Structure formats: C-alpha cells, structure tokens
Amino acid sequence: MTALHRRTSRLLLLAAGVLLMGAAAASALAAPLSAAQLQSDLQLARGALEEAHGGVYRYTPKADLDRVFDAAARKLDRPMEAIAFARILAPAVAALRCGHTAVLLSPALKAEMEQALLLPLDVKLLRGRLYILRDFDGAGKLAGREIVSINGVAIGSVIERLLAAAPGDGLITTGRAQRVARKFKEELFIQFGMQGKFTLGLRAPKRESVTLAGQTLAALRQASVNRYPQDQYSHKFTELSLLDGGKIARLQVFNFTDEEEDDEGGAMLKKAFEKIEASGAQTLLLDLRDNGGGEDRLGKLVFSYLVEAPFPYYEALTVQRERLSFAAHVEGSAVIPAAMLTARPDGLFAVKGHPNLGMQKPSLPTFRGKVIALINGRSFSTTAELITQLHDKQRATFVGEESGGAYHGNNSGNDVTLVLPNSDLRIAIPLVTYKLAVSGQHANGRGVVPEVEVLPSMQDYLAGRDVVLEKALGIARAQ
C-alpha cells in the first residue's frame, strides 16, 4: 500500500511535539545565519510550495500569498538564529490554509525542547478564553481557573500569535484552536522562549498571580498517563456500544489507521455492523470526535455501510509535477510513481488507481436507520471526507462543533519533507489535491457546521461530562 492511501494526520505530528509555531529563547544552532542564508532558505521554501503543493492557492489567492511571503522576506534584513527565522516562516506557511502543511523543528531544536522546563499545565481554549484543565504543579489546585496573562504577556496576544502560525484547513477556526490548546506548553517555549518559571495572572473566582516551576515534557507526559488515563490517545480503531436495550448503537471511530495493512479495520467494521443489525438498532450514533484521519479507504468503507446504492466518493486526485526541481533537498522519498500519473489537458497530472476513485459499492449489512454524527474541530483529513459525504448525501444529523477539515477536500496523500539547508528547518509539503464527489453548494474553506451546536463548558470538562453525547442521545430517544 502506498503512502497515498495512508495519510498521517498532522495532529500526530503535534502529538510528537514537532510542529513549529515560532521561536525559542536560545537556539540549538548557536551561530546566527546571515541575511543571505535566510533569504535563500525562504526562497527555497516559497518556490517548493509553489511548484509542488497540491493546492497552494486553494484558499489563499496568489496575490495575497505573494504579499505574505514578500513581507516575510523584508524581515530577513539582518543575521538571526534559525529559531528566529522560524518565527517569520511559520506564519507565512500557515497562510496557505492547509492543515497538512507544517513547518517542523530540526532534530537539534526538537531535542532542545525536550530538555526545557515547560509550563506544567494542560489547557482548554474555549471561545477565545484560556482555562486550566490539568494542573501538574505540586499544589495541583488550579484546574478551572482562567489565565489572563503569562509572564507579563496578555493572553490575548499569546493566543493571537499562536493561532496565526497554526496550520489548518481553509477558514475553519475550530481545528486551529484545538491544535493550539493541545500543544500550548510547547508553543509557549518555541514562540516566546518561556521556560523555567511561569507567573500566571488568573481570574475567577478572584484575580491573583501564581508562580509555577516548569517540568520536562517527559515528566509531564508521564504525569498525564498516571493521573488522567481518560485523556490519552486511544489506539483502538473502533468501539461499539449498544444502548437502550439495543435500540441505539454508538460506534466510536477513534482513528482510521490500519497499521497491519491486512484489512483488520475492514473486518472490524463488518463485525460491528453485523452486531448493529442483530441488535435491531434504529439509530446509530457515529462518534467521529477527535479522529484525525488515516487510511482513505476506511473512511469510505464506513460510509458504504450507510447507503444502499452505488456512489462516487472522490471526483479527482491531482498533482502539479511529475518531478521536483528541489529533489536534492527532500528528506527521503515520497514522490508518486510515474506509472500512477496521467497527464491532463490543464497541465496537471491525474492520480490513477486509488481505490476511492470511480463508483463505489455499498457494503452489507446496510444500516438504514437514523444516523447522528458527533463531530468537532479534531475531526480532520479522512474523517472530514466521511463527514462531507454524510452531509452531502443528507445521511446524518450532526451534533457538536464545526469539523476541522475543509468540505470539498484537502491537500495530502503523498508528501515530501523539504529540508532547508541553512536553518535545518523542515516543511511537510503535501503533493496531492483531493477533490470529493459532492453535488451540493457549500461555503469554500469551511467544514460541516452541525445542525445542533453543542460547546462544552469548562465545568463540563472538569466534571467529565460529555454534553455532546448527552444531546445526541436526547435526539435519538425523542424519535
């Protein structure tokens, strides 16, 4: 199976702590780079994106993107360390509005961040305000408090800066906010150089200032595993629950990754839908929250159990080039084999042979009942494609918040990692433009906005109350 059929979500890169959002206080590369070296790296990055990115102007017009990169070039007028250069590069790359395109840390900078003493908190970014979810400090009493400043920097300025550098599809804000919150401690270090000690301005129930000692990432990860197992990433593919005596089925799909490549995921789905049929369930709660994507075919396979007639899934997959002029600066190789490409009259190349192209067959046993899909800003990539098809075919009612992937498709599939020779920063560049076979009109650059919006409060998170699931169950039981 080629990489084209397996798309690793950039959320996984976030989980590994390698997504770059800005600048650290002290660079792992001690010697400053000259202005000429910086300009050279910027132009290589810009040229590579223009040449190879599957949808470089999909959401940002060329004139606008040119202005962004020209402005970045004007800032490179003096020597600076690689991490300072990254502070300029990351927002420029984020201006493409592609959630699969990211500036990545060099190995040295990543190692430096692993050793730094970081903010000992997990946070939630809710409607523009930042709250403490988990407190790993010795006192451990800050959960639920709102943060209004960190080390004298107003939280509004912090959030604005991090969001500006966060990759995300189109005009969707939910996915970017989720990314910033999930890696907030790392981004504080990289963007603002904050480490060691942290003085927080807090609000509610009273305004006060507290100072916390930083901890290493390894220590914080272990503390999270020990104290909050419910917060950990699930490596399960699916989990089926039958509720109300089997009248309601809840199918959680945690990811679309099938690491064994032996159709295990397909077999699991078949068993799940056989159990749903045997239960006599009339309503299916399809829980796709926090699912960052993975195998293309598995997303399509879920959809195939929910429809009775053959259907198109992908309209087209295209790439811009057969060969890359910057191949000497690519780490490894993920170039699409020439045998998989066909030249098109418009100058692009069509990708052929993908299992999701052409008419698709429904799978048995078909579920014909009501479908309620639970979605959020971390429903991305392959998951967002499934959500689009459910919405376009009017096959589900949606509950939660706007999905994190753009409606008409994304830019992903095969990607290449560009290594900038002077700064040693990397850029993940997706080569393939995915265009979904949908017929309805939908705002360009937006995800699926649920008919029933449910936004959990900080109190809900602290209490472990799943208000999205509660609302979905209420709808199912009212039918």
Side-chain angles (χ1 to χ4, degrees), residues 66-392:
D66 284 346
R67 280 192 287 271
V68 169
F69 274 92
D70 288 345
R74 287 193 292 271
K75 296 176 182 177
L76 305 177
D77 58 356
R78 63 192 183 282
M80 63 181 68
E81 294 178 347
I83 198 69
F85 169 50
R87 194 180 309 169
I88 296 168
L89 179 62
V93 172
L96 271 70
R97 300 185 180 278
C98 171
H100 287 86
T101 305
V103 177
L104 310 176
L105 293 174
S106 68
L109 289 173
K110 183 183 176 185
E112 182 180 327
M113 185 173 67
E114 290 284 343
Q115 296 302 314
L117 300 178
L118 305 183
L119 180 71
L121 305 173
D122 286 343
V123 300
K124 284 288 184 182
L125 181 56
L126 305 177
R127 294 169 283 284
R129 300 169 73 171
L130 193 74
Y131 298 89
I132 299 170
L133 175 66
R134 308 298 187 203
D135 175 9
F136 300 105
D137 183 64
K141 299 179 179 179
L142 300 179
R145 303 290 300 275
E146 181 182 355
I147 302 174
V148 296
S149 67
I150 303 180
N151 290 353
V153 183
I155 203 63
S157 298
V158 173
I159 293 170
E160 180 180 13
R161 188 162 164 181
L162 298 183
L163 286 173
D169 274 7
L171 304 175
I172 301 168
T173 61
T174 57
R176 290 179 176 85
Q178 293 260 17
R179 291 184 183 206
V180 166
R182 288 185 67 234
K183 286 297 164 183
F184 189 77
K185 60 180 70 69
E186 293 95 321
E187 294 168 6
L188 270 186
F189 169 76
I190 299 168
Q191 181 77 356
F192 293 93
M194 293 184 186
Q195 64 169 312
K197 289 188 177 182
F198 299 85
T199 299
L200 308 179
L202 301 177
R203 178 165 53 202
K206 62 179 180 179
R207 283 187 174 269
E208 64 177 322
S209 177
V210 300
T211 298
L212 306 178
Q215 300 179 35
T216 65
L217 270 177
L220 292 168
R221 289 168 183 152
Q222 191 58 55
S224 180
V225 169
N226 293 342
R227 300 185 201 177
Y228 306 106
Q230 69 272 29
D231 292 352
Q232 309 314 306
Y233 174 78
S234 175
H235 293 278
K236 291 181 181 179
F237 174 34
T238 63
E239 185 171 301
L240 175 65
S241 305
L242 297 175
L243 311 172
D244 292 11
K247 295 179 181 179
I248 300 172
R250 180 193 182 194
L251 182 63
Q252 295 172 271
V253 187
F254 300 101
N255 60 73
F256 283 112
T257 301
D258 185 3
E259 293 294 346
E260 299 302 320
E261 297 190 11
D262 61 358
D263 202 34
E264 180 182 357
M268 293 175 69
L269 281 176
K270 184 173 179 61
K271 289 179 182 178
F273 279 94
E274 287 173 345
K275 289 180 180 178
I276 292 170
E277 181 181 53
S279 75
Q282 297 300 305
T283 302
L284 171 63
L285 305 185
L286 183 59
D287 197 337
L288 301 172
R289 292 174 295 172
D290 302 335
N291 185 334
E295 290 270 8
D296 298 339
R297 65 181 181 85
L298 292 179
K300 183 256 307 191
L301 190 57
V302 171
F303 184 73
S304 73
Y305 281 100
L306 304 175
V307 292
E308 299 183 65
F311 59 93
Y313 201 79
Y314 290 161
E315 179 178 319
L317 304 178
T318 59
V319 298
Q320 293 207 72
R321 299 285 185 274
E322 281 187 294
R323 297 177 181 83
L324 305 177
S325 67
F326 55 90
H329 298 290
V330 168
E331 188 177 71
S333 176
V335 177
I336 301 171
M340 293 178 61
L341 302 178
T342 301
R344 299 187 354 163
D346 60 4
L348 299 175
F349 293 86
V351 178
K352 57 185 180 181
H354 193 291
N356 288 7
L357 287 167
M359 292 301 293
Q360 306 293 314
K361 296 179 180 179
S363 295
L364 298 176
T366 303
F367 179 77
R368 297 177 174 84
K370 176 76 173 180
V371 179
I372 301 174
L374 286 64
I375 62 176
N376 66 6
R378 291 175 65 190
S379 304
F380 182 63
S381 194
T382 297
T383 309
E385 294 174 350
L386 168 58
I387 290 169
T388 287
Q389 293 293 356
L390 290 168
H391 183 272
D392 182 68

Side-chain angles (χ1 to χ4, degrees), residues 122 327 340 410 425 435:
D122 286 343
M340 293 178 61
N410 56 56
L425 300 176
K435 187 175 182 182

